[in-house]
């Protein structure tokens, strides 16, 4: 049975594409047949982060419009077996996506025996984002430790409970929180929310914490997902995340921060801001 | 995905609503007196009354000549739609005049808004409804509304979310968003929550903004009620 996973956030630039690339790569490294679909029509980023931009001939929209077959459009990763990418179009807009077309593509991947279908959502809560979440079985909600990102994630969690096919059949999309770009030092100084505060505000299980890391930017520029360089801290974090996702228990790392409530800082201990 | 609205087989769908209605509570059956007062009242706020649907309550004017009353109201561009708690003698006539009958306990329209036309005697509403219970978090951007009754929420209400009830609002979890109770002018409505972190509190139009909520009540289990035309916040539980 294939699992459809949407990587979503509401807010832009929080690490959805980075997460899609790394989680897809990590699952494929474990031997799962995995495809990552770029729903960010008009921007096209996933192929860059995964280093296959020069091999894009046809894209997701071509398949939806039946201008190309799935076989023609899907790119097989050169480094990792079992890993595939369906790139987005750079020339169309998000209205090119429709429920019927997206549903057909997802069904074709299911029929082709993929274990995981990862949907990299665009930012926002408009059509593109709704299309990316509509067929999801599970959602990875990517959040940065700041108030606006948490608020947007909350919004998206509401949409996942209302605007998905699961809901129409009386089920719920299983949700996971992924806290990215986490900098414990800045949390300690009160410049960022701590993981405990984010968890309390969103109330969904924590899949993992990805530290703020220079290695991520370098990896994206090279077109090699950071998870392929196990010496990097962010790679370790993503390896943990993928292991937990397939059911392994691993203790949380990268969150060494004194526990202090957001509200106690806001209302109780004004001196804490001085850091 | 065929939602009932889109089903081409169906000519219509039925939807429950809780549209607020104005009630005209008569205290006199003298049509001339009624007309004089109508002319001044409607004259003051004509846009409010233009073709406004009206529920008639004849408790204080059982002997009124119904056909004449309806004609009079229509002349003043009001739209009488129903008779509330009609005396038996008037029921057939009401039906023949195209009015609906609102009997105690027969449904949603039985609890209309009390209007400013006349200050009515204490609200006649007795039909208790079961209210609405929500077990999942109410997330930012979502609104949950309990028409006619209480709203009970068993999970957190996020900042940016709104919980609204005609009756009381209960939140047995942190209340971080907006809560509005007694929205149809029920000043006896209350808001209860187990941790007050709200952005906005309102009962029957009285309200407190986030920065007006007493600091000492933050994060506490509280009840909020109207006293002397103001919202007050009190600790819940043993004092
Ligand atoms: N853990 C991290 N540490 C440092 N930088 C990161 C981390 N994760 C992501 N970034 C950087 O943040 C930027 C945005 O990341 P990414 O493109 O993955 O976000 P996104 O949510 O997909 O954005 P969009 O909403 O535009 O699609 C990139 O420059 C990326 O390299
Ligand atoms: Mg992206």
């Amino acid at each position: 049975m294939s699992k459809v996973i949407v990587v979503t956030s509401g807010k832009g630039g929080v690490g959805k594409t980075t997460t899609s690339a790394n989680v897809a790569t990590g699952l494929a490294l474990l031997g799962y047949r995995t495809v990552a679909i770029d729903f960010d029509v008009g921007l096209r980023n996933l192929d860059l982060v995964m280093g296959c931009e020069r091999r894009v001939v046809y894209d997701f929209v071509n398949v939806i419009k039946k201008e190309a077959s799935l076989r023609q459009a899907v790119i097989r990763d050169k480094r990792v077996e079992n890993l595939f990418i369906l790139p987005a179009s750079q020339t169309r807009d998000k209205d090119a996506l429709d429920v019927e077309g997206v549903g057909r593509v997802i069904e074709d991947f299911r029929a082709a025996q993929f274990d995981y279908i990862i949907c990299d959502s665009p930012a926002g809560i408009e059509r593109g984002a709704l299309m990316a979440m509509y067929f999801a079985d599970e959602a990875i909600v990517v959040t940065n430790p700041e108030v606006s990102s948490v608020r947007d994630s909350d919004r998206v969690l509401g949409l996942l409970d209302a605007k998905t096919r699961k809901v129409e059949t009386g089920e719920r999309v299983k949700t996971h929180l992924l806290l990215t770009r986490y900098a414990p030092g800045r949390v300690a100084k009160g410049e960022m929310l701590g993981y405990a505060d984010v968890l309390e505000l969103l109330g969904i299980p924590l899949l993992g914490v990805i530290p703020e890391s220079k290695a991520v930017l370098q990896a994206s520029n090279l077109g090699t997902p950071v998870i392929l360089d196990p010496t990097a801290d962010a790679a370790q974090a993503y390896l943990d995340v993928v292991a937990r996702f397939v059911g392994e228990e691993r203790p949380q790392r990268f969150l060494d921060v004194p526990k202090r409530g957001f509200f106690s800082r806001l209302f109780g201990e004004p001196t804490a801001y001085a850091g | 995905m065929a939602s009932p609205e889109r089903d081409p087989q169906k000519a219509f769908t039925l939807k429950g609503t809780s549209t607020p209605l104005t009630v005209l509570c008569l205290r006199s059956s003298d049509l001339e007196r009624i007309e004089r007062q109508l002319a001044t009242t409607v004259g003051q706020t004509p846009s409010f009354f233009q073709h406004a649907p009206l529920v008639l309550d004849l408790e204080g004017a059982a002997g009124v000549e119904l056909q004449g009353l309806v004609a009079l109201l229509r002349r003043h561009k009001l739209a009488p739609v129903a008779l509330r708690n009609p005396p038996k003698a008037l029921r057939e006539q009401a039906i023949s005049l195209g009015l609906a009958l609102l009997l105690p306990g027969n449904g949603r329209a039985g609890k209309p808004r009390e209007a400013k036309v006349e200050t009515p005697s204490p609200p006649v509403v007795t039909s208790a409804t079961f209210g609405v219970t929500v077990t999942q978090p109410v997330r930012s951007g979502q609104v949950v509304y309990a028409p006619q009754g209480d709203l009970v929420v068993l999970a957190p209400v996020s900042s940016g979310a709104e919980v609204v009830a005609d009756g009381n609002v209960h939140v047995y979890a942190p209340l971080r968003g907006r809560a509005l109770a007694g929205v149809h002018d029920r000043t006896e409505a209350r808001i209860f929550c187990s941790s007050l972190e709200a952005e906005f509190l309102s009962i029957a139009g009285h309200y407190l903004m986030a920065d007006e909520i007493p600091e000492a009540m933050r994060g506490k289990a509280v009840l909020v009620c109207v006293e002397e035309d103001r919202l007050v916040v009190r600790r819940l539980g043993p004092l």
Side-chain angles (χ1 to χ4, degrees):
Chain A
M1 252 301 270
S2 323
K3 258 191 192 161
V4 180
I5 296 150
V6 62
V7 179
T8 183
S9 70
K11 192 170 158 73
V14 296
K16 294 179 292 296
T17 299
T18 304
T19 297
S20 300
N22 282 288
V23 169
T25 305
L27 287 167
L29 286 172
L30 292 180
Y32 296 102
R33 209 167 136 79
T34 305
V35 60
I37 308 177
D38 190 348
F39 275 76
D40 206 345
V41 175
L43 286 173
R44 219 183 101 181
N45 259 321
L46 187 64
D47 52 328
L48 280 172
V49 174
M50 296 183 77
C52 62
E53 74 280 5
R54 301 199 178 171
R55 296 163 59 211
V56 175
V57 182
Y58 294 106
D59 59 52
F60 191 16
V61 174
N62 291 136
V63 179
I64 284 180
K65 305 262 182 223
K66 299 189 178 161
E67 296 156 358
S69 71
L70 206 53
R71 194 174 287 276
Q72 288 174 302
V74 168
I75 302 171
R76 179 192 286 268
D77 192 271
K78 282 199 165 151
R79 293 160 301 218
V80 182
E81 221 182 317
N82 297 314
L83 180 59
F84 300 81
I85 296 117
L86 179 56
S89 164
Q90 211 155 13
T91 51
R92 316 285 184 103
D93 60 51
K94 295 187 173 63
D95 293 335
L97 301 178
D98 63 272
V99 178
E100 208 206 322
V102 173
R104 196 158 28 83
V105 171
I106 301 262
E107 274 321 305
D108 288 350
F109 280 126
R110 285 188 196 270
Q113 311 277 306
F114 276 86
D115 297 305
Y116 288 102
I117 302 161
I118 311 284
C119 304
D120 178 19
S121 173
I125 51 172
E126 277 90 49
R127 189 176 184 82
L130 294 177
M131 285 297 130
M133 73 171 63
Y134 185 73
F135 293 96
D137 299 307
E138 303 194 16
I140 297 177
V141 178
V142 179
T143 307
N144 288 169
E146 44 167 296
V147 173
S148 64
S149 174
V150 172
R151 168 78 74 102
D152 283 5
S153 293
D154 193 64
R155 190 97 205 253
V156 159
L157 284 166
L159 294 175
L160 285 165
D161 273 343
K163 304 223 161 192
T164 54
R165 196 169 59 167
K166 281 254 169 209
V167 176
E168 287 167 16
T169 57
E171 296 167 90
R172 290 185 74 184
V173 174
K174 189 172 173 195
T175 52
H176 310 267
L177 176 63
L178 186 68
L179 199 52
T180 58
R181 311 201 66 164
Y182 196 71
R186 297 189 58 195
V187 174
K189 285 187 192 155
E191 294 169 4
M192 277 184 176
L193 295 178
Y195 70 93
D197 296 323
V198 178
L199 273 179
E200 195 192 317
L201 288 169
L202 293 178
I204 59 170
L206 180 65
L207 181 61
V209 174
I210 311 296
E212 172 76 21
S213 161
K214 287 206 179 76
V216 171
L217 190 59
Q218 286 163 3
S220 318
N221 288 339
L222 291 174
T224 315
V226 72
I227 199 168
L228 292 173
D229 168 17
T231 59
D233 51 356
Q236 293 291 318
Y238 273 118
L239 285 166
D240 280 0
V241 160
V242 171
R244 285 188 204 109
F245 198 83
V246 299
E248 203 180 305
E249 280 200 24
R250 292 208 182 173
Q252 295 288 349
R253 294 195 272 166
F254 309 106
L255 33 79
D256 48 355
V257 135
K259 273 195 203 165
R260 211 199 294 123
F262 169 57
F263 290 108
S264 70
R265 276 208 314 280
L266 253 194
F267 303 111
E269 309 164 31
T271 49
Y273 280 109
Chain B
M1 267 183 294
S3 66
E5 288 105 301
R6 308 242 175 80
D7 188 344
Q9 305 282 311
K10 294 192 175 162
F12 64 82
T13 60
L14 289 173
K15 290 187 176 175
T17 75
S18 61
T19 315
L21 287 174
T22 301
V23 187
L24 183 73
C25 297
L26 283 187
R27 286 181 179 167
S28 158
S29 37
D30 180 348
L31 290 184
E32 265 178 43
R33 264 189 71 191
I34 296 169
E35 173 143 38
R36 248 180 284 131
Q37 193 182 338
L38 262 185
T40 49
T41 316
V42 176
Q44 277 163 10
T45 46
S47 59
F48 178 78
F49 290 104
Q50 277 292 314
H51 306 290
L54 214 56
V55 174
L56 310 180
D57 190 323
L58 307 184
E59 264 212 328
V64 75
E65 201 270 292
L66 190 58
Q67 192 169 1
L69 176 66
V70 167
L72 168 67
L73 293 171
R74 292 197 173 132
R75 252 199 331 276
H76 284 271
K77 296 207 167 50
L78 293 164
V81 292
L83 216 51
R84 183 166 78 171
N85 302 329
K88 278 214 173 67
L90 283 180
R91 288 185 189 178
E92 257 179 50
Q93 199 193 356
I95 292 167
S96 73
L97 287 168
L99 297 177
L101 302 181
L102 298 179
L103 303 171
N106 86 339
R108 304 172 160 262
K111 188 180 171 186
R113 179 188 179 123
E114 308 293 344
K116 307 267 185 305
V117 176
E118 286 248 323
T119 315
S121 39
V124 212
V125 188
T126 45
S127 92
T129 57
F130 193 68
V132 174
T133 303
V134 179
T135 55
Q136 289 178 17
V138 187
R139 302 283 185 183
S140 180
Q142 294 183 324
V143 178
V144 182
Y145 174 43
Q148 299 182 50
D150 285 7
L151 175 61
V152 179
V153 185
L154 301 174
V157 176
S158 293
S159 155
E162 196 168 292
V163 286
V164 187
D166 282 352
N168 303 300
V169 172
H170 306 252
V171 181
Y172 297 106
L175 168 58
R176 304 188 173 109
R178 299 158 56 87
L180 294 87
V183 287
H184 286 147
D185 285 341
R186 302 296 302 266
T187 49
E188 73 278 28
R190 292 189 169 105
I191 297 167
F192 304 86
C193 66
S194 57
S195 177
L196 178 67
E197 296 160 29
E199 295 170 321
F200 180 83
L201 297 168
S202 164
I203 298 172
H206 304 283
Y207 63 89
L208 288 177
M209 307 291 291
D211 54 9
E212 297 169 327
I213 297 173
E215 209 72 334
M217 297 295 168
R218 287 260 158 202
K220 303 291 189 317
V222 302
L223 79 78
V224 185
C225 59
V226 178
E227 278 177 17
E228 292 169 356
D229 284 343
R230 285 185 328 116
L231 274 202
V232 295
V233 183
R234 292 237 155 82
R235 284 292 290 271
L236 262 182
L239 293 173

